[in-house]
Amino acid sequence: SRRARGPSQAELIEFKLPPGSSAMAISLAYFDIPALAEPVRLLLHISGLKWEDKRIPGSGSDMWKEMKPKTKWGQLPVCHFPDGQEVAQSKALTRYFAKLSSLDSKGRTLYPEDPFSALLVDEWIDVMEDMRNAIMKHFAIEDEEAKKAAMLALIAPGGALKELMEKAEKHAGSGHFVGDYTTLADIWGFWWFSLLRCGFLPFPATLLDEFPKISAIVESVRMNPVVSSYYDGMDGKLYAIFGRPKAKAPIQIGYWAIRGLGAPLRMMCEYAGVRYEDKQYTSGEEWFGKDKESILALNPLANLPYVLVNGETCVCQTSSCLMFLGERFGMNGSTPKEKIAVKQLLDEIYDLRNKMIDLSYPFKKVNRTKEEYLVSAVSQLDEACPTTYKKLEAWLTSMNTKFFISNQISTPDFHIWEMLDQHEKLAKSHDKPSPVKPFTKLKIFHEAIQSEPKLKAYFASPSYELPCNSPMGGAYFV
């Protein structure tokens, strides 16, 4: 007899069998398009469960006409479990398989165990369903041109879809729709906003250009290795936007082969999960004699660092580069107060960075000899650091947040962290105690960034091991 309770998680885990196993697998049936069943397909892939992707040619196909009367509700998608049970409804299936799946280094499931976090995930899914419903009512229009015009009106100023997306952009978090790790809300958002732009509907591929926070979340999921492994090699133009792009990295970070001002920009790209080229210049000839001319053609302010997007848009000057990436990745705060705070903090940490430059290089006529540098280094650690660190500690105390703008990482956090870390390295090179240790909140902040899973690859990379300052420029402290 058929069991009413369904297979338990433990029983499903038993289905994680190697290829070629003769055991029955979960079977998911849906049309051969990336629509309602696509999140379920992706979740089954993420879960590692043994499953069969049964694709139906179309709603008018003989296969579906024969199959439809035999299904539980007369609709797709429909999922058959190894014990013979049949379950339909896409959102129910996504929640179920999200409870069995994780993309988090701590093992937290895509559908949160915490009831309130789960409620927030469901809220986001329902919001995106409101967007879908706004589109679906126009499918009844028979004239194709009229249908297309009606749908495009949805994304025009004042259009229902446009307004919902503007609200979604306002309320989205920095890096995730809910919480501080990838949840079903992010997976659903990745599917939905990719479907909108894949060519199945008449909306442009540039639809998310006005929505940097949404775009950053979608791109982060898209670039996840587990997600991209599902789409690798998948045929069909509708799936092109779902997979990891094969073309040249759209973002290039240009800077000397040192940490310096380039490190925060590299960290931002790593944290956002976007593809980027880390162009590291190892000689003056390589920059001044070769590449600077092409950058000048794009931007008369050509300098290092620069951020180059798609070979066309070029931004120079450090704070502007940071702000530009922050806007693109949704890391510049979401309220006017937060955006002003971002600018203040970038200016504040740049003051400490300038003192590091005065200390490290001989050309400022501050430390003309190694002996003068050794004396100044002690002063930097004993006086300059505590002065700035007290301000930053007071800021974190007044904000009562884990990071400097909110409880999610934002643009100034990367540059602040880099300067804290450079001074930790400076202290070790002079056998001095940790300058950040006396500042409780600042120490927690430094450790939180260092242990951030999204930055794990960066901290294990050669880029993190680069000298802080330029040996080529005669720096005392590298």
Side-chain angles (χ1 to χ4, degrees):
S1 62
R2 179 174 292 182
R3 294 176 299 174
R5 65 176 178 84
S8 68
Q9 180 170 348
E11 289 169 328
L12 279 172
I13 297 304
E14 293 178 3
F15 300 141
K16 292 187 178 182
L17 302 174
S21 170
S22 60
M24 291 180 63
I26 296 168
S27 175
L28 178 68
Y30 190 66
F31 303 115
D32 190 16
I33 53 174
L36 285 173
E38 194 63 21
V40 188
R41 291 169 178 155
L42 180 55
L43 287 166
L44 280 163
H45 172 78
I46 294 170
S47 73
L49 297 169
K50 184 178 176 63
W51 68 291
E52 176 192 10
D53 186 6
K54 187 174 182 180
R55 304 231 172 187
I56 312 301
S59 58
S61 66
D62 291 340
M63 182 186 293
W64 174 234
K65 289 177 182 178
E66 181 181 348
M67 182 181 177
K68 184 174 182 178
K70 301 175 184 177
T71 60
K72 188 174 182 180
W73 303 107
Q75 63 186 42
L76 296 178
V78 63
C79 186
H80 289 94
F81 289 86
D83 66 351
Q85 292 200 75
E86 176 184 313
V87 180
Q89 298 299 332
S90 55
K91 290 194 289 299
L93 290 168
T94 54
R95 278 191 286 266
Y96 180 70
F97 290 117
K99 293 174 184 177
L100 306 178
S101 308
S102 176
L103 290 174
D104 177 49
S105 61
K106 298 179 181 178
R108 292 173 290 185
T109 54
L110 289 167
Y111 195 74
E113 294 182 3
D114 172 63
F116 191 76
S117 296
L119 172 65
L120 295 178
V121 167
D122 287 336
E123 179 188 32
W124 272 105
I125 291 174
D126 288 346
V127 165
M128 286 179 262
E129 277 294 276
D130 286 347
M131 296 181 193
R132 190 174 73 88
N133 290 334
I135 297 170
M136 288 300 296
K137 65 181 182 180
H138 295 304
F139 272 91
I141 301 174
E142 294 184 1
D143 182 79
E144 290 300 320
E145 288 302 316
K147 182 191 297 184
K148 179 179 179 181
M151 289 188 180
L152 289 176
L154 294 172
I155 61 171
L161 181 56
K162 175 92 167 182
E163 290 187 345
L164 281 170
M165 290 180 69
E166 288 171 345
K167 291 177 181 177
E169 176 70 13
K170 176 182 177 181
H171 295 295
S174 177
H176 301 287
F177 285 115
V178 175
D180 60 356
Y181 78 104
T182 301
T183 67
L184 178 57
D186 299 328
I187 297 294
W188 193 276
F190 161 72
W191 161 70
W192 172 242
F193 291 111
S194 298
L195 178 67
L196 286 179
R197 299 173 298 133
C198 75
F200 182 70
L201 296 165
F203 306 119
T206 57
L207 182 63
L208 292 185
D209 287 1
E210 298 178 50
F211 307 98
K213 288 199 291 184
I214 296 175
S215 181
I217 295 169
V218 171
E219 188 71 4
S220 179
V221 175
R222 181 191 193 196
M223 299 303 293
N224 183 283
V226 179
V227 174
S228 65
S229 67
Y230 173 65
Y231 291 104
D232 283 348
M234 191 171 286
D235 295 328
K237 67 177 184 178
L238 293 182
Y239 284 96
I241 205 165
F242 287 83
R244 186 189 294 256
K246 303 294 190 294
K248 184 179 178 181
I251 296 176
Q252 182 186 82
I253 305 296
Y255 193 62
W256 301 112
I258 60 174
R259 283 169 63 175
L261 296 171
L265 299 170
R266 297 166 187 146
M267 291 173 69
M268 289 181 75
C269 290
E270 291 283 345
Y271 181 77
V274 301
R275 289 190 316 117
Y276 72 104
E277 178 188 357
D278 184 11
K279 177 65 175 177
Q280 296 181 7
Y281 291 94
T282 57
S283 70
E285 175 60 27
E286 188 181 9
W287 166 241
F288 293 107
K290 184 181 177 184
D291 285 4
K292 187 173 183 179
E293 184 177 352
S294 62
I295 297 299
L296 272 170
L298 297 171
N299 188 333
L301 305 180
N303 205 346
L304 297 179
Y306 66 76
V307 176
L308 181 62
V309 179
N310 294 325
E312 298 175 352
T313 302
C314 184
V315 179
C316 300
Q317 299 299 334
T318 306
S319 292
S320 295
C321 289
L322 290 165
M323 290 293 293
F324 175 74
L325 288 182
E327 189 66 26
R328 190 176 180 88
F329 300 153
M331 297 180 188
N332 282 349
S334 57
T335 67
K337 182 179 179 181
E338 289 178 351
K339 292 180 184 297
I340 289 295
V342 167
K343 295 178 181 179
Q344 291 181 83
L345 288 162
L346 287 176
D347 288 344
E348 180 63 37
I349 201 60
Y350 211 90
D351 289 345
L352 183 62
R353 186 262 175 185
N354 285 339
K355 291 176 182 177
M356 173 65 85
I357 296 302
D358 289 346
L359 168 71
S360 300
Y361 292 96
F363 51 76
K364 288 287 187 180
K365 297 184 180 180
V366 176
N367 297 302
R368 293 157 294 186
T369 65
K370 185 69 175 283
E371 290 71 25
E372 288 181 341
Y373 157 73
L374 293 173
V375 173
S376 297
V378 174
S379 175
Q380 178 89 353
L381 293 166
D382 291 347
E383 298 175 17
C385 274
T387 297
T388 299
Y389 286 14
K390 285 178 183 177
K391 295 180 183 179
L392 298 176
E393 181 81 0
W395 181 284
L396 286 173
T397 301
S398 67
M399 294 293 290
N400 193 30
T401 52
K402 186 177 181 180
F403 302 106
F404 277 87
I405 298 300
S406 66
N407 285 318
Q408 296 181 350
I409 297 177
S410 60
T411 298
D413 293 317
F414 297 97
H415 201 183
I416 292 171
W417 186 90
E418 176 61 23
M419 293 316 303
L420 296 183
D421 203 58
Q422 286 192 24
H423 281 86
E424 290 298 295
K425 184 178 179 181
L426 177 67
K428 287 180 182 179
S429 70
H430 291 275
D431 294 321
K432 296 281 288 183
S434 163
V436 79
K437 187 175 180 180
F439 301 91
T440 304
K441 291 186 178 295
L442 211 52
K443 183 173 182 292
I444 292 172
F445 162 80
H446 183 262
E447 292 171 348
I449 296 288
Q450 185 88 52
S451 60
E452 167 56 47
K454 293 181 182 179
L455 294 172
K456 183 178 180 180
Y458 169 76
F459 290 127
S461 73
S463 292
Y464 179 58
E465 298 301 324
L466 290 170
C468 293
N469 298 294
S470 176
M472 183 174 60
Y476 300 119
F477 167 58
V478 296

